[in-house]
Structures are given as C-alpha cells and as structure tokens.
C-alpha cells in the first residue's frame, strides 16, 4: 500500500503545475501505469479521491492507462507481451531480454482551467 | 475561462530515483557497497545481518540502517554484534524511501566498506523504491513456501540476489528448493541464488565472498 505516498508526491507536482499556469482548477489527471510498476490502479484511484478533497483538483477526473509488459529478445529480436511473469523469449526461449514497456509509472498530462486575466 | 492541456510526462517516482542516484554516487565516492535487503516480516533479515556482522568483522567495516514501522529492536540486535546501526522508524509507512536514507547518511562513518539497509518487512512496496543500493537482495524463508516468487513478482524481478533462508528447517517442510529456484529464475534469469541458514551457517561464506567480490569490483571501478 505505497499508493498513498505516490499520490502524495503526485499532488506536489499537480499543484506546482497549476501554479505555473495560473490555473484555478485541475479537471483531468492522466497517468500511465505499467503492469510491472508495482502499483495497483484501483488503490491509486482511492488514494487520489482521498487527496483531492478541498484542493483545486477536487472535481478532477483521474484517467489511468494501463501499459502491458513487453520485452524484446536480444538473441533473436522477437517482441513478446508477457502476461505470466515468465521472462523468456516467446520464440527462442532466451533469457537475454530487454524490457520495452510495462515498468512505467508517470503523469502523462493534466487539463487545467485558467482564469481569464483581468483586461488591461 | 480557458481550458488548457499540459503534457507533463513526469515519473511519479522520479524524486525518489533522483535522491537514490545521489546517495549511490556519494557511497561510490567513499568506496562503500550498499545492499538493500527486502523480504516479508520474519524471513530472517536481521538474523542474516547478525551472521554477516560476526563473519565480516575481521576483514571489513560495516554499518546497518534498519527500517521498521516501530521500535529500535533490530538496531539494538545489530549493535550487540559490535556494528554501528541506525534505526529508521517509519511510523506506519510500509517501505523505506531514499530521502529517509539521505537523512541518516551524514552520520554514518565514511570509512566503512559495506552499508546494509534492512527494509521494512514487506514483499510488495519496498520493491518500487530505490534507496541508492548497488545490490538488491530479496530473502525468502523456507516456512513461507516455495510459491512466493510467482506471487510477489516485482520483488524478485528487481533484485540481484535471492537468499533462501532457514534452510535448516527444510527436512520439516514441504518446501521444494528446486521449484523456488526455477520459478525465481523464470522471473529474473540474472538472479544469483544462495541457500542459507543462520543456525547452521550454511551458504553464508559463499554469500559473503560474493559481497566481497562486488565490493572489490566497486572499488576498482571508482579508484
């Protein structure tokens, strides 16, 4: 259950970005979460709902895109999606693999509402 | 009111990774090899460290950072072996983070050879946090069962070493060492595996020789 500490640092970034852009509201937060990122999307959602109360992200929607785990074999070049946590090439069974995706955990984008600047 | 989309592309663990990289750099400048020990509670991390402390003291200097939710108990056990130990109590947090290590580090003797970090007992969350270690070592005790690597994959895919502990209990348990090894290697073909017992001393010399060889390698690459 380290999702709370991840969401706590996410909010640090969100508030900083909102300030940078003079935004009054955050309306969307989009995360990319790899299958091997070590976090559970549902728990991120619960933690996000807890944290957003009484912040400018209070009405923000959290969108989580889950990224499957994909590897490329260094021996034969085959790309395989791994679903069973068996880290061998799907074609030649070599264990010499490069992880292409699936370990990521990042904030992709946010949508903001910017207050109109008062007319000069 | 204007709507604006802002592309951020920021790693949510980026701050931790940055601090971990600074710690690793600092330790390397001092010629210190850091080992992060991960396991479920009660797998024998402290017992392993007690054995390491007793065997290492004639040839090297070490220090230990202990992570627990509460109490100084583990640090006291390590100090009783004549090794300096710092206790981090997380007060509820399920894992250590790099910033907690960074706080303790200035107090650690810069002349040590090894820094062992005992993470909070938990086979899940600590796997997501680098602490600036050179080696991540996951422990699996025989009473826990040989199916744990497949059940808790991240701890095993991100580790460099797997230390099977409490091997002295094998005659009394249905634990299949070969199955555990095979399944752990399926998750991580590069994993180095040691079968050990803190009671009989089995496998400990091999493990220490490995740590020692890694320390020599670190020193020669940063000489």
């Amino acid at each position: 259950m380290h999702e709370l500490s991840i969401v706590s640092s996410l909010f640090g970034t969100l508030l900083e970005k909102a300030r940078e852009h003079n935004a009054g509201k955050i309306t969307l937060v989009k995360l990319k979460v790899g299958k091997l990122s070590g976090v559970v999307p549902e728990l991120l959602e619960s933690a996000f709902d807890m944290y957003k109360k009484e912040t400018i992200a209070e009405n923000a929607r959290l969108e989580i895109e889950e990224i499957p785990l994909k590897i490329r074999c260094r021996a034969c070049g085959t790309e395989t999606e791994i679903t069973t946590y068996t880290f061998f090439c799907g074609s030649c069974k070599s264990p010499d693999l490069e992880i292409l995706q699936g370990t990521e955990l990042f904030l992709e984008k946010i949508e903001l509402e910017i207050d109109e600047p008062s007319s000069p | 009111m204007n709507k604006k989309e802002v592309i951020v592309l920021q790693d949510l663990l980026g701050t931790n990774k940055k601090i971990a990289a600074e710690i690793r750099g600092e330790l390397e400048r001092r010629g210190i090899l850091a080992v992060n020990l991960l396991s479920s509670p009660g797998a024998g991390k402290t017992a392993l460290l007690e054995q390491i402390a007793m065997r290492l003291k004639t040839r090297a200097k070490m220090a230990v950072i202990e992570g627990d939710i509460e109490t100084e108990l583990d640090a006291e056990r390590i100090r009783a072996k004549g090794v300096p130990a710092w206790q981090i109590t997380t007060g509820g947090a399920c894992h250590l983070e790099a910033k907690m290590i960074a706080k303790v580090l200035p107090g650690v003797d810069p002349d040590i050879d090894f820094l062992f970090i005992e993470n909070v007992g938990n086979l899940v969350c600590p796997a997501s946090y680098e602490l600036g270690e050179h080696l991540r070592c996951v422990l699996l005790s025989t009473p826990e069962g040989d199916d744990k690597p497949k059940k808790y994959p991240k701890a095993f895919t991100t580790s460099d070493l797997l230390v099977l502990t409490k091997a002295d209990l094998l005659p009394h348990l249905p634990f299949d060492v070969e199955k555990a090894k095979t399944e752990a290697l399926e998750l991580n073909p590069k994993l180095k595996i040691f079968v050990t017992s803190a009671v009989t001393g089995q496998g400990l010399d091999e493990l220490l020789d490995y740590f020692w060889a890694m320390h020599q390698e670190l020193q020669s690459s940063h000489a």
Side-chain angles (χ1 to χ4, degrees), chain B:
Chain B
M1 184 103 59
N2 288 325
K3 285 227 170 204
K4 185 171 186 181
E5 182 180 288
V6 179
I7 303 295
V8 186
L9 300 180
Q10 185 169 313
D11 188 341
L12 294 183
L13 292 169
T15 309
N16 185 74
K17 282 180 188 158
K18 188 170 159 270
I19 301 171
E22 286 165 8
I23 293 172
R24 192 174 295 117
E26 177 59 26
L27 291 171
E28 281 166 9
R29 274 189 293 280
R30 300 186 197 173
I32 301 170
L33 184 91
V35 183
N36 180 2
L37 299 174
L38 253 69
S39 79
S40 53
K45 294 182 291 303
T46 316
L48 180 68
L49 286 175
E50 286 174 326
Q51 291 298 320
I52 291 174
M54 290 192 293
R55 280 151 211 266
L56 210 55
K57 68 177 155 200
T58 54
R59 57 174 178 173
K61 279 172 84 174
M62 64 181 269
V64 174
I65 296 176
E66 288 285 347
D68 272 302
I69 289 179
E70 284 301 341
T71 82
E72 263 305 292
L73 292 171
D74 280 359
E76 283 162 9
R77 279 173 64 183
I78 299 298
R79 287 179 203 131
K81 301 292 177 197
V83 166
W86 284 261
Q87 182 79 49
I88 298 174
T89 47
T90 64
C94 50
H95 60 274
L96 291 178
E97 294 191 15
K99 63 184 174 199
M100 303 176 186
I101 304 299
K103 246 187 222 169
V104 175
L105 215 50
V108 176
D109 175 1
D111 293 328
I112 55 169
D113 304 294
F114 294 94
L115 175 66
F116 291 94
I117 304 168
E118 181 180 335
N119 221 308
V120 178
N122 176 339
L123 211 41
V124 186
C125 310
S128 292
Y129 290 86
E130 291 175 30
L131 301 178
E133 71 267 27
H134 301 95
L135 293 174
R136 186 175 288 187
C137 177
V138 58
L139 278 68
L140 170 59
S141 67
T142 54
E144 289 173 72
D146 51 26
D147 56 357
K148 292 303 170 287
K150 288 266 154 164
K151 285 186 167 175
Y152 298 88
K154 184 144 174 136
F156 295 85
T157 55
T158 61
S159 286
D160 304 290
L161 285 78
L162 164 60
V163 177
L164 292 177
T165 59
K166 309 187 190 181
D168 53 293
L169 296 177
L170 281 170
H172 314 286
L173 298 166
F175 190 98
D176 182 340
V177 173
E178 286 315 308
K179 175 175 181 257
K181 280 186 180 177
T182 306
E183 294 191 355
L185 287 170
E186 280 177 7
L187 290 167
N188 181 355
K190 295 189 185 85
L191 206 56
K192 295 248 179 278
I193 304 180
F194 298 86
V195 180
T196 69
S197 163
V199 174
T200 66
Q202 180 187 341
L204 295 176
D205 288 336
E206 290 84 342
L207 180 62
L208 281 178
D209 286 347
Y210 182 75
F211 285 146
W212 192 248
M214 290 293 109
H215 179 259
Q216 300 297 96
E217 202 174 281
L218 177 97
Q219 288 216 314
S220 57
S221 61
H222 293 273

